[in-house]
Amino acid sequence: MSNPKIINAIKKASQEANVSLTLDPSTYNSTLKSLDVDSLNAMSIIISAEKILNVRLPDEDLANLKTLGDLIQSFEKLVK
């Protein structure tokens, strides 16, 4: 669960959303809320990362996102 392309896209997307997000394996099990990412910022990050990676996360994946790792895994399913 450490595809550099996905990590870099999420990192860039979080910078564009002005969100300080630590992306290392120790934070993958952390909830977005515990990382001080509210729902509006989370959607901004997701939309921006989708554009960077040229993919679209399915609605069912979006509904089940709880942790940073969930977000990374959702993108990994789409980016090969």
Side-chain angles (χ1 to χ4, degrees):
M1 194 164 66
S2 60
N3 183 327
K5 182 177 180 179
I6 293 169
I7 299 299
N8 288 334
I10 294 172
K11 190 178 295 185
K12 183 175 180 182
S14 66
Q15 291 169 345
E16 290 175 4
N18 293 320
V19 175
S20 178
L21 191 60
T22 302
L23 288 162
D24 62 57
S26 68
T27 62
Y28 291 173
N29 290 325
S30 301
T31 63
L32 296 174
K33 185 176 182 175
S34 72
L35 296 171
D36 294 325
V37 178
D38 63 27
S39 58
L40 183 60
N41 284 333
M43 285 311 299
S44 294
I45 292 168
I46 290 166
I47 291 167
S48 183
E50 286 176 330
K51 288 178 184 175
I52 293 166
L53 295 168
N54 198 30
V55 296
R56 173 101 165 90
L57 291 180
D59 290 340
E60 58 271 8
D61 282 3
L62 293 174
N64 294 318
L65 291 179
K66 302 273 188 281
T67 67
L68 182 56
D70 294 341
L71 179 61
I72 294 167
Q73 282 183 322
S74 292
F75 279 115
E76 283 183 338
K77 288 188 233 173
L78 301 173
V79 177
K80 298 294 177 194

